[in-house]
Amino acid sequence: MPKFLIERDIPGAGQFTPEQLLAISRSSCSTLRGIDPEVKWITSFVTADKIFCIYIAPDAEVIRRNAFEGGFPANVITLIQSTIDPSFADA
């Protein structure tokens, strides 16, 4: 199944409390379960004014729907073509 990088513009995200991040996480998981149980949220990276998420999903439309129904943005959705890491340099 395809993997996507989602960029969410959320001003002040880096200042969210652990409780706020927990609420966002719960909202996302709950919404995903109702949309498509095959969709997997892998991880997210919180920066000052954005949250970047990695999802496995059949298509970008499912991600857009999750964002809409969950009440959070999905400003840019990018299909990940491949991944690399430091182990590539050692091959």
Side-chain angles (χ1 to χ4, degrees), residues 20-53:
Q20 288 172 303
L21 293 172
L22 178 60
I24 291 169
S25 298
R26 286 183 174 159
S27 174
S28 181
C29 288
S30 174
T31 304
L32 279 175
R33 280 191 296 274
I35 292 174
D36 187 337
E38 290 187 0
V39 176
K40 303 267 189 274
W41 169 30
I42 304 301
T43 194
S44 293
F45 303 92
V46 180
T47 66
D49 294 313
K50 294 180 187 272
I51 297 179
F52 296 89
C53 305

Side-chain angles (χ1 to χ4, degrees), residues 6-87:
I6 301 109
E7 181 178 336
R8 305 182 191 279
D9 292 338
I10 304 176
Q15 301 301 314
F16 285 177
T17 65
E19 292 79 15
Q20 288 172 303
L21 293 172
L22 178 60
I24 291 169
S25 298
R26 286 183 174 159
S27 174
S28 181
C29 288
S30 174
T31 304
L32 279 175
R33 280 191 296 274
I35 292 174
D36 187 337
E38 290 187 0
V39 176
K40 303 267 189 274
W41 169 30
I42 304 301
T43 194
S44 293
F45 303 92
V46 180
T47 66
D49 294 313
K50 294 180 187 272
I51 297 179
F52 296 89
C53 305
I54 307 293
Y55 275 59
I56 295 174
D59 55 52
E61 187 53 39
V62 171
I63 295 167
R64 281 188 200 87
R65 184 173 166 207
N66 177 56
F68 176 78
E69 291 185 17
F72 36 83
N75 303 93
V76 180
I77 301 171
T78 305
L79 176 65
I80 296 172
Q81 300 294 323
S82 61
T83 59
I84 60 171
D85 61 40
S87 67

